[in-house]
C-alpha cells in the first residue's frame, strides 16, 4: 500500500449499503442513512485502497398535508430514491403518517398545547446563498479557486461551489488545510463585497460554516473577517434607509397624483425592485449576523463588536419583517443583554418600543426568544416601566394560556409586579382570574413562578380585594391547609395585611390558624402566626382568643432568649403588639411578666433593628392603657431603655421611641425631667464635645475671656452641672433669671423667681418698677436692670444698637454713655 502510485490506479469501485430510515427532527423530511464504500482497484482488478463512510440523505416532502395519499407518496419516494429498498414500503408509509400528524408541522398562531421550540436560531439554508446546478467535488477545489480570480459571474459560481463543499462538515478540515483557498476567499470578500451581494453572501456563508466550530475561529479572526462583517452590516443598513426613503417619496407622489398612470407604474416597479433588493440584503445580513454570533463565544471578541456598534445595528434591524432574521437578531441581543453596559445602550435605543411590535406574533420560535430577551431586560426597573407604558402588560397576560410560553410570561409578570405602581395595573387586565384559575387547577407541585406572582399581587390592596371576591379566600385557605404550602400561606398572609373588608374575612379562620400555630414549628405555621399578627380588627375579642387557646404561656415560652428562631420570635412580638390594643389583653400580658421578658429580649437582640422596633411598639401600645401604664412606668426599666434608644441610628426606632416617651412624659413628671435633660444633652452634644476637645490654655488666650472667675471646670466637674457656662451675662451666674423652658428645675435656686408654681412671678406688680415690661416679653435680674425678650440686660447708661446689642468698637470695647470704655468679656 505504501508503494501505491497514482498511475497504478485503474478503476474505482463504489458500493452503497442501505441503512435505517428516520424522520427529520424539525422539517417535513425523511432521513435515509447509508454506508458508502469506495475501493480503488489495480490494473488486474485487485483492491489497492479502500474507505468506508457513513452518509445521510434528506428527502423533503413539502407537499405533505392532512389530505395526502400516504401510500402513493411512499411509493413515489421509493421509486425515486434508490437508497430505499422496496421492502421498506410499510416503514416509509408509517414514517409519513407520523410526519403528517406531528404537531410541529405547522406554526400555530395561538397554540394551546406545548410544542418543542428551538433553543438556537435555525442555520441558514440554501436559499440564503446562490444556488448552482452543478455538484461540487472536493478534488476540483483548485478549479473553483481559479474562478475567484475571474470576473464577478465566475466569482459567484466559484464561491457557490466552494460553499457546497463547506456545508459538509467532513470537508471543512481539508479546506482549512488549504491556506491558499482561505486567503483567496478573504481577499475577494474584502475587495468585492460592495460590487456583488451574491459574492459577499456566498463567502460570508463559507466562513459561517467554519465559525460553527471553535477550532476554526482563530483563522477567521486572523483574516479579520469579523471586522469586515461589521462594515458590511453598517453599509447595508445605510443602503436600506436610502431605499426606504426613495420608495416613500415615490409612494407619496403616486398617492398625490392618483390619476397619473406613469407615477403609479413607476411606484409599482420600484416596490418590486425594493422587495427583491431587501430579500437579498436580508440573506446577507442573516449569515453575517450568525457568523458574528458564533465568534461572540469569546467575550473579548464580543467586547470588540460592542465597541464597533453591534448593539445599535442589532436594535435597528428589529424593524424588519423577516422572521428568521428577527430570530437571529433577538438571540444575539439576548446574549448581549446580560451585561449592564449593553442593556443601558439598548434602553437608550428604545428597544422596548421595537419589541412591542413583535409581541404577539405567529412564529412561535420568534415569540419565545423575544420573551426571553424581555425577561433579561425586565431586571431593570426603568425598562419594566416602559413595558407598562407601551402596553405590553395586557399582551403578556393574553399569552398565559399558551403552554409554550407560560413559564417565561409568569416570570416576566413577576418582575413587573415587583414595582408598587405596576401592581395596580394588573386590575385592568384578566391576569388575576387567569392566575387564580391556574393556581386552583394545578397539582400539589405548583410552579414557583406562579406562586411568586400571586404573592406579589396579594400585597396590593386593590388586587387583594379581587382575589378575595366570592369564595376566593375560602378556596385559598382550603388549598393551603390541604397541601401545607408555605408559599401559598405567604400569599394569604399578604392578603391579611390590608385594612377593611379583606381583613374582616379572616375572622372565620382564627381557630384554624391558632390550632396550626400551636401544633408544630415550620415555615407553614410561621406564616399562620404572621396572619394572626396582621389581624388588627377593633371588634375582635383578643382576650377570649388568648384564654381559649392558652396563648399566654405559649408566648412566654417563645420569648425566652434562645428558645426559638429569630423569625419566630419576631412574629410572636408582632402578635403581642397586635393583641395589646385590647385593654384586657394588655392586663393579662402585664400580669404574666411578659414585659420583663421583652426587656430581657431587648438586651439580647440589640443588633436586630426589626426585633427592637417591634418591642418598642409593644411598649407604645401598653402605655395607652391606664391599667398597664403604671406597670410600664413604675415597675419596669422600659422608660430607661427607651431613653437609650431615642437617638438610635434607625429612623423607625427613633420615631416609635419619641411617641412613647412623649406619652410617658405627660403622665410622670420625674421621667419628664429625665427625658428633657437627655434631649438637652443630645442637642448640645456636638458643642460640648468641641469644648472638651480644646486645651485648657486656649480658653484664657486673648481678650475674649478675663483671667478671673473661671475654674478649670472641664476636668473637674460635669459640664451640664455648670449652668453658668450657658447663662452668663458678664456679671456672673444669677439663678433668678431662669424661667421654665430654659433649664430643668433641678438648677433653680430656692429663692429664685421660679419655684414650680410661679407664684412670685404671677404676683409681681409691674407698676412698682418703671423699667419692667410685661412678662410675655421680658425677664428680671437681681439688680433691677431691664432685660429684653431674650433675657439680655438693658443698661440705661449704655448705648444699644437696633437689635438691643451693646455697642462695641473695633477694638472689642463697650462704648459707654460717658464716652468711656470697658472691656468686652
Amino acid at each position: 500500500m505504501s508503494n501505491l502510485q497514482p498511475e497504478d490506479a485503474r478503476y474505482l469501485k463504489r458500493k452503497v449499503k442501505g441503512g435505517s430510515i428516520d424522520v427529520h427532527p424539525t422539517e417535513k423530511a425523511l432521513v435515509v442513512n447509508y454506508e458508502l464504500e469506495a475501493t480503488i482497484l489495480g490494473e488486474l482488478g485487485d483492491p489497492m485502497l479502500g474507505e468506508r463512510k457513513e452518509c445521510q440523505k434528506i428527502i423533503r416532502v413539502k407537499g405533505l398535508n392532512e389530505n395526502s395519499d400516504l401510500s402513493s407518496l411512499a411509493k413515489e419516494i421509493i421509486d425515486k430514491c434508490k437508497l430505499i429498498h422496496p421492502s421498506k414500503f410499510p416503514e416509509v408509509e408509517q414514517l409519513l403518517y407520523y410526519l403528517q400528524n406531528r404537531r410541529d408541522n405547522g406554526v400555530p398562531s395561538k397554540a394551546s398545547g406545548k410544542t418543542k421550540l428551538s433553543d438556537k436560531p435555525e442555520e441558514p439554508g440554501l436559499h440564503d446563498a446562490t444556488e448552482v446546478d452543478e455538484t461540487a467535488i472536493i478534488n476540483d477545489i483548485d478549479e473553483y479557486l481559479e474562478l475567484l480570480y475571474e470576473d464577478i459571474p465566475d466569482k459567484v459560481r466559484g464561491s457557490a461551489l466552494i460553499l457546497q463543499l463547506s456545508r459538509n462538515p467532513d470537508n471543512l478540515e481539508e479546506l482549512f488545510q488549504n491556506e491558499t483557498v482561505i486567503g483567496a476567499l478573504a481577499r475577494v470578500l474584502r475587495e468585492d463585497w460592495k460590487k456583488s451581494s451574491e459574492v459577499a453572501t456566498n463567502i460570508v456563508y463559507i466562513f459561517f460554516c467554519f465559525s460553527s466550530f471553535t477550532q476554526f475561529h482563530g483563522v477567521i479572526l486572523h483574516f479579520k473577517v469579523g471586522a469586515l462583517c461589521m462594515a458590511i452590516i453598517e453599509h447595508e443598513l445605510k443602503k436600506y434607509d436610502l431605499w426606504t426613503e426613495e420608495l416613500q417619496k415615490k409612494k407619496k407622489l403616486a398617492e398625490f397624483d392618483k390619476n397619473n398612470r406613469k407615477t403609479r407604474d413607476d411606484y409599482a416597479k420600484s416596490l418590486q425592485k425594493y422587495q427583491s433588493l431587501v430579500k437579498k440584503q436580508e440573506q446577507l445580513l442573516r449569515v453575517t449576523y450568525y457568523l458574528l454570533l458564533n465568534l461572540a463565544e469569546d467575550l473579548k471578541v464580543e467586547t470588540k463588536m460592542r465597541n464597533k456598534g453591534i448593539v445599535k445595528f442589532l436594535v435597528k434591524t428589529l424593524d424588519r419583517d423577516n422572521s428568521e432574521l428577527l430570530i437571529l437578531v433577538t438571540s444575539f441581543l439576548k446574549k448581549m443583554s446580560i451585561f449592564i453596559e449593553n442593556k443601558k445602550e439598548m434602553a437608550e435605543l428604545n428597544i422596548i418600543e421595537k419589541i412591542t411590535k413583535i409581541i404577539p406574533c405567529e412564529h412561535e420560535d420568534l415569540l419565545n426568544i423575544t420573551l426571553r430577551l424581555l425577561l433579561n431586560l425586565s431586571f431593570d426597573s426603568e425598562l419594566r416601566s416602559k413595558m407598562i407604558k407601551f402596553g405590553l402588560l395586557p399582551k403578556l397576560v393574553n399569552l398565559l394560556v399558551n403552554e409554550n410560553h407560560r413559564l417565561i410570561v409568569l416570570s416576566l409578570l413577576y418582575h413587573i409586579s415587583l414595582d408598587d405602581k405596576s401592581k395596580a395595573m394588573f386590575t385592568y387586565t384578566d391576569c388575576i382570574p387567569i392566575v387564580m384559575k391556574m393556581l386552583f387547577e394545578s397539582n400539589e407541585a405548583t410552579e414557583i413562578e406562579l406562586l411568586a406572582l400571586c404573592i406579589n399581587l396579594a400585597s396590593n390592596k386593590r388586587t387583594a380585594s379581587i382575589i378575595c371576591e366570592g369564595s376566593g379566600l375560602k378556596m385559598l385557605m382550603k388549598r393551603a391547609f390541604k397541601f401545607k404550602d408555605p408559599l401559598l400561606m405567604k400569599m394569604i398572609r399578604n392578603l391579611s395585611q390590608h385594612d377593611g373588608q379583606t381583613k374582616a374575612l379572616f375572622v372565620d379562620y382564627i381557630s384554624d390558624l391558632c390550632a396550626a400555630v400551636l401544633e408544630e414549628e415550620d415555615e407553614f405555621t410561621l406564616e399562620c402566626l404572621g396572619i394572626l399578627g396582621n389581624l388588627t380588627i377593633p371588634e375582635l375579642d383578643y382576650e377570649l382568643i388568648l384564654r381559649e387557646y392558652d396563648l399566654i404561656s405559649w408566648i412566654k415560652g417563645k420569648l425566652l432568649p434562645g428558645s426559638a428562631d429569630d423569625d419566630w420570635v419576631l412574629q410572636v412580638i408582632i402578635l403581642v403588639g397586635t393583641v395589646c390594643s385590647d385593654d384586657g389583653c394588655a392586663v393579662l400580658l402585664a400580669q404574666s411578666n411578659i414585659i420583663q421578658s421583652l426587656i430581657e429580649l431587648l438586651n439580647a437582640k440589640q443588633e436586630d433593628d426589626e426585633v427592637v422596633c417591634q418591642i418598642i411598639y409593644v411598649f407604645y401600645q401598653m402605655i395607652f392603657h391606664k391599667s398597664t401604664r403604671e406597670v410600664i412606668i413604675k415597675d419596669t426599666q422600659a422608660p430607661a431603655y427607651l431613653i437609650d434608644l431615642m437617638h438610635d441610628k434607625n429612623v423607625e426606632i427613633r420615631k416609635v421611641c419619641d411617641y412613647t416617651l412623649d406619652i410617658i412624659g405627660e403622665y410622670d413628671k420625674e421621667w419628664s425631667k429625665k427625658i428633657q435633660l437627655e434631649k438637652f444633652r443630645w442637642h448640645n452634644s456636638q458643642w460640648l464635645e468641641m469644648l472638651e476637645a480644646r486645651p485648657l490654655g486656649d480658653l484664657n488666650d486673648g481678650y475674649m475671656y478675663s483671667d478671673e472667675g473661671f475654674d478649670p471646670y472641664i476636668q473637674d466637674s460635669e459640664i451640664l452641672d455648670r449652668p453658668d457656662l450657658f447663662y452668663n451675662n458678664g456679671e456672673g451666674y444669677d439663678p433668678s433669671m431662669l424661667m421654665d423652658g430654659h433649664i430643668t428645675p433641678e438648677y433653680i435656686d430656692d429663692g429664685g423667681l421660679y419655684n414650680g408654681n410661679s407664684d412670685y412671678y404671677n404676683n409681681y406688680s409691674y407698676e412698682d418698677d418703671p423699667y419692667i415690661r410685661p412678662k410675655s416679653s421680658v425677664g428680671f435680674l437681681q439688680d433691677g436692670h431691664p432685660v429684653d425678650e431674650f433675657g439680655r440686660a438693658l443698661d440705661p447708661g449704655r448705648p444699644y444698637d437696633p437689635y438691643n446689642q451693646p455697642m462695641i468698637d473695633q477694638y472689642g470695647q463697650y462704648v459707654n454713655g460717658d464716652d468711656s470704655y470697658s472691656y468686652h468679656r
Side-chain angles (χ1 to χ4, degrees):
M1 288 293 183
S2 59
N3 297 325
L4 176 65
Q5 299 296 327
E7 58 271 12
D8 295 335
R10 293 291 181 267
Y11 306 101
L12 177 63
K13 184 179 179 180
R14 186 169 175 269
K15 184 179 179 180
V16 179
K17 183 180 180 181
S20 62
I21 308 173
D22 203 351
V23 295
H24 195 280
T26 58
E27 300 181 15
K28 290 182 181 180
L30 297 177
V31 180
V32 181
N33 298 292
Y34 64 95
E35 184 180 90
L36 177 62
E37 180 179 350
T39 306
I40 299 177
L41 303 178
E43 186 176 0
L44 301 176
D46 53 321
M48 301 176 62
L49 183 63
E51 183 179 359
R52 290 184 180 183
K53 183 178 180 182
E54 298 289 338
C55 303
Q56 283 184 343
K57 181 176 180 64
I58 298 177
I59 304 173
R60 290 178 172 83
V61 282
K62 296 182 178 180
L64 182 66
N65 55 58
E66 58 183 7
N67 299 319
S68 298
D69 185 352
L70 300 183
S71 298
S72 301
L73 186 58
K75 186 176 183 304
E76 181 182 355
I77 290 174
I78 292 174
D79 291 341
K80 290 184 177 181
C81 183
K82 302 303 181 182
L83 297 173
I84 305 177
H85 194 271
S87 62
K88 293 190 176 183
F89 175 82
E91 183 180 351
V92 174
E93 188 176 11
Q94 181 64 31
L95 293 174
L96 290 175
Y97 176 78
Y98 174 79
L99 283 175
Q100 185 183 46
N101 293 277
R102 190 166 63 177
R103 300 189 68 174
D104 59 349
N105 281 342
V107 180
S109 58
K110 292 184 179 179
S112 57
K114 191 169 184 178
T115 59
K116 185 178 180 180
L117 301 174
S118 176
D119 293 333
K120 60 180 294 186
E122 184 181 352
E123 292 192 2
L126 288 174
H127 62 276
D128 288 308
T130 305
E131 298 185 28
V132 290
D133 295 332
E134 55 186 307
T135 302
I137 302 174
I138 189 67
N139 293 332
D140 296 336
I141 186 65
D142 291 335
E143 296 180 12
Y144 309 150
L145 178 60
E146 291 178 2
L147 293 174
L148 298 178
Y149 294 92
E150 303 298 333
D151 295 333
I152 294 296
D154 290 329
K155 291 179 179 178
V156 172
R157 176 171 170 265
S159 59
L161 291 169
I162 297 175
L163 176 58
Q164 276 192 33
L165 298 174
S166 302
R167 284 174 56 83
N168 186 348
D170 296 331
N171 296 327
L172 289 178
E173 187 67 35
E174 187 172 345
L175 291 173
F176 176 73
Q177 298 296 335
N178 195 330
E179 296 182 5
T180 306
V181 173
I182 303 299
L185 289 170
R187 178 187 58 79
V188 173
L189 179 63
R190 189 179 305 108
E191 294 176 355
D192 297 332
W193 66 268
K194 288 185 180 180
K195 300 177 183 178
S196 172
S197 175
E198 291 85 356
V199 171
T201 303
N202 288 342
I203 296 179
V204 173
Y205 201 154
I206 292 169
F207 282 109
F208 159 74
C209 294
F210 280 99
S211 70
S212 300
F213 301 91
T214 307
Q215 61 265 34
F216 299 133
H217 285 189
V219 176
I220 298 174
L221 296 174
H222 172 74
F223 286 104
K224 299 183 179 180
V225 176
L228 191 56
C229 287
M230 293 288 293
I232 292 174
I233 292 173
E234 183 177 9
H235 179 75
E236 294 298 328
L237 292 178
K238 289 180 179 179
K239 283 203 304 184
Y240 176 79
D241 291 339
L242 293 175
W243 295 343
T244 305
E245 183 180 353
E246 184 179 354
L247 182 67
Q248 290 299 323
K249 290 180 180 178
K250 293 185 177 182
K251 181 180 179 180
K252 290 181 180 179
L253 184 61
E255 291 175 349
F256 178 76
D257 192 2
K258 296 182 179 180
N259 297 325
N260 191 330
R261 184 175 179 180
K262 183 178 179 181
T263 56
R264 287 189 285 109
D265 292 343
D266 184 36
Y267 170 69
K269 291 179 181 178
S270 299
L271 178 60
Q272 186 176 3
K273 181 180 179 181
Y274 170 82
Q275 292 173 344
S276 176
L277 290 172
V278 169
K279 183 179 179 181
K280 289 184 178 180
Q281 185 188 70
E282 288 178 347
Q283 292 174 356
L284 174 58
L285 288 175
R286 188 173 178 222
V287 295
T288 307
Y289 276 131
Y290 215 147
L291 168 61
L292 293 175
L293 178 59
N294 287 343
L295 294 178
E297 292 178 359
D298 188 339
L299 186 57
K300 294 181 180 179
V301 176
E302 181 180 322
T303 304
K304 292 181 180 179
M305 293 181 189
R306 181 192 176 277
N307 295 336
K308 289 182 177 293
I310 187 65
V311 175
K312 180 178 66 176
F313 300 154
L314 289 168
V315 174
K316 192 172 184 180
T317 312
L318 287 174
D319 296 328
R320 305 298 181 100
D321 297 324
N322 188 313
S323 298
E324 299 300 330
L325 177 61
L326 288 175
I327 289 175
L328 181 61
V329 169
T330 311
S331 300
F332 209 151
L333 286 169
K334 181 179 77 72
K335 180 182 184 303
M336 302 196 71
S337 63
I338 63 176
F339 296 100
I340 189 170
E341 298 85 1
N342 298 336
K343 183 205 65 177
K344 289 181 178 179
E345 187 174 357
M346 293 176 194
E348 293 172 358
L349 296 169
N350 297 321
I351 188 172
I352 300 297
E353 184 178 2
K354 294 180 181 292
I355 289 178
T356 306
K357 301 174 184 177
I358 302 177
I359 299 176
C361 66
E362 295 184 353
H363 199 295
E364 291 289 284
D365 285 331
L366 174 58
L367 182 56
N368 186 266
I369 197 66
T370 305
L371 291 173
R372 292 179 182 275
L373 170 60
L374 266 181
L375 183 59
N376 282 3
L377 298 175
S378 66
F379 285 90
D380 186 283
S381 59
E382 293 184 3
L383 292 178
R384 291 198 298 268
S385 300
K386 288 187 177 181
M387 293 178 194
I388 298 292
K389 177 182 178 182
F390 292 114
L392 268 177
L393 182 58
K395 293 182 178 181
L396 294 173
V397 170
N398 293 335
L399 289 173
L400 281 172
V401 297
N402 191 322
E403 288 293 327
N404 293 327
H405 316 296
R406 189 164 68 101
L407 287 180
I408 301 175
V409 173
L410 283 173
S411 301
L412 262 169
L413 293 176
Y414 165 72
H415 283 179
I416 293 175
S417 67
L418 291 173
D419 305 318
D420 292 335
K421 293 182 180 179
S422 301
K423 289 173 186 173
M425 300 301 295
F426 283 84
T427 59
Y428 300 102
T429 69
D430 297 329
C431 181
I432 297 174
I434 293 175
V435 166
M436 295 300 291
K437 184 175 183 293
M438 292 168 57
L439 181 62
F440 293 136
E441 292 180 353
S442 62
N443 53 23
E444 181 178 357
T446 309
E447 293 97 336
I448 188 88
E449 295 86 355
L450 176 59
L451 288 172
L453 174 60
C454 291
I455 290 170
N456 280 357
L457 292 178
S459 63
N460 179 268
K461 188 172 184 178
R462 292 175 61 184
T463 55
S465 62
I466 298 176
I467 292 173
C468 294
E469 283 181 353
S471 59
L473 180 60
K474 180 180 179 181
M475 296 176 67
L476 286 172
M477 293 293 289
K478 183 178 179 181
R479 181 181 176 86
F481 277 101
K482 178 182 178 180
F483 295 118
K484 300 292 183 180
D485 190 342
L487 291 178
L488 185 56
M489 191 55 76
K490 183 182 289 290
M491 172 191 173
I492 299 173
R493 177 180 172 182
N494 281 351
L495 294 173
S496 68
Q497 69 184 359
H498 304 293
D499 296 327
Q501 187 61 32
T502 303
K503 185 171 291 189
L505 296 174
F506 284 86
V507 175
D508 298 335
Y509 306 100
I510 288 179
S511 60
D512 296 329
L513 294 169
C514 290
V517 167
L518 296 174
E519 185 178 345
E520 58 181 327
E521 288 188 16
D522 55 21
E523 293 183 9
F524 176 78
T525 53
L526 178 63
E527 299 301 333
C528 294
L529 179 60
I531 295 174
L532 291 174
N534 284 339
L535 299 185
T536 53
I537 305 174
E539 299 80 11
L540 194 60
D541 190 347
Y542 294 104
E543 184 179 0
L544 178 63
I545 297 173
L546 291 180
R547 292 184 183 276
E548 182 176 351
Y549 293 97
D550 192 23
L551 289 177
I552 296 292
S553 58
W554 182 82
I555 289 173
K556 288 183 64 177
K558 295 297 180 184
L559 291 181
L560 294 176
S563 62
D565 293 337
D566 289 349
D567 291 338
W568 275 87
V569 171
L570 177 61
Q571 295 306 320
V572 169
I573 297 172
I574 293 175
L575 177 62
V576 172
T578 300
V579 300
C580 277
S581 60
D582 182 87
D583 186 68
C585 288
V587 173
L588 284 177
L589 293 171
Q591 292 175 349
S592 61
N593 204 29
I594 283 183
I595 298 175
Q596 187 59 36
S597 298
L598 291 174
I599 292 177
E600 294 175 2
L601 194 61
L602 191 62
N603 281 329
K605 302 290 184 182
Q606 291 181 7
E607 302 300 323
D608 193 329
D609 285 357
E610 186 65 25
V611 171
V612 172
C613 188
Q614 293 299 336
I615 292 175
I616 297 172
Y617 179 73
V618 172
F619 296 156
Y620 173 74
Q621 288 283 67
M622 288 188 168
I623 286 296
F624 276 106
H625 306 293
K626 184 178 180 180
S627 55
T628 56
R629 186 183 305 131
E630 294 296 325
V631 177
I632 291 285
I633 296 176
K634 303 294 185 182
D635 300 339
T636 72
Q637 291 299 314
Y641 281 97
L642 292 173
I643 290 177
D644 290 339
L645 292 169
M646 66 187 297
H647 305 302
D648 192 88
K649 61 182 179 181
N650 187 292
V651 178
E652 295 300 324
I653 292 177
R654 293 202 302 270
K655 286 182 180 179
V656 181
C657 275
D658 287 341
Y659 297 150
T660 310
L661 289 172
D662 288 343
I663 298 174
I664 292 175
E666 290 179 9
Y667 290 97
D668 189 281
K669 296 301 180 182
E670 182 179 350
W671 278 112
S672 177
K673 296 175 183 178
K674 294 179 181 179
I675 295 168
Q676 188 178 11
L677 176 60
E678 177 58 29
K679 289 182 177 180
F680 181 81
R681 289 174 183 270
W682 174 259
H683 288 299
N684 293 276
S685 60
Q686 291 183 347
W687 180 74
L688 297 175
E689 289 174 1
M690 180 189 70
L691 285 181
E692 292 175 356
R694 292 185 62 179
L696 183 61
D698 293 349
L699 297 175
N700 294 324
D701 292 343
Y703 56 80
M704 290 190 64
Y705 300 98
S706 67
D707 294 335
E708 300 177 359
F710 287 94
D711 297 325
Y713 55 88
I714 294 179
Q715 292 82 357
D716 300 334
S717 64
E718 170 61 45
I719 295 294
L720 292 174
D721 291 336
R722 294 292 303 275
D724 53 313
L725 296 178
F726 313 115
Y727 302 97
N728 189 356
N729 62 352
E731 303 294 332
Y733 167 59
D734 188 348
S736 65
M737 66 166 279
L738 298 176
M739 295 185 296
D740 185 20
H742 290 161
I743 200 165
T744 55
E746 298 170 2
Y747 303 108
I748 302 292
D749 191 281
D750 292 334
L753 175 64
Y754 179 80
N755 59 8
N757 55 17
S758 303
D759 291 336
Y760 176 79
Y761 181 76
N762 293 328
N763 297 328
Y764 192 91
S765 175
Y766 298 108
E767 298 178 355
D768 297 336
D769 194 338
Y771 295 103
I772 303 301
R773 286 186 277 178
K775 64 180 180 179
S776 61
S777 60
V778 297
F780 306 94
L781 293 177
Q782 286 183 340
D783 58 3
H785 286 173
V787 296
D788 64 10
E789 59 269 35
F790 302 103
R792 293 189 290 254
L794 298 176
D795 187 348
R798 177 176 293 164
Y800 288 82
D801 61 20
Y803 299 98
N804 289 332
Q805 296 285 352
M807 296 185 64
I808 302 173
D809 66 5
Q810 59 182 337
Y811 301 103
Q813 297 175 324
Y814 285 120
V815 179
N816 297 320
D818 56 357
D819 294 331
S820 62
Y821 296 89
S822 63
Y823 286 104
H824 171 210
R825 301 194 294 178

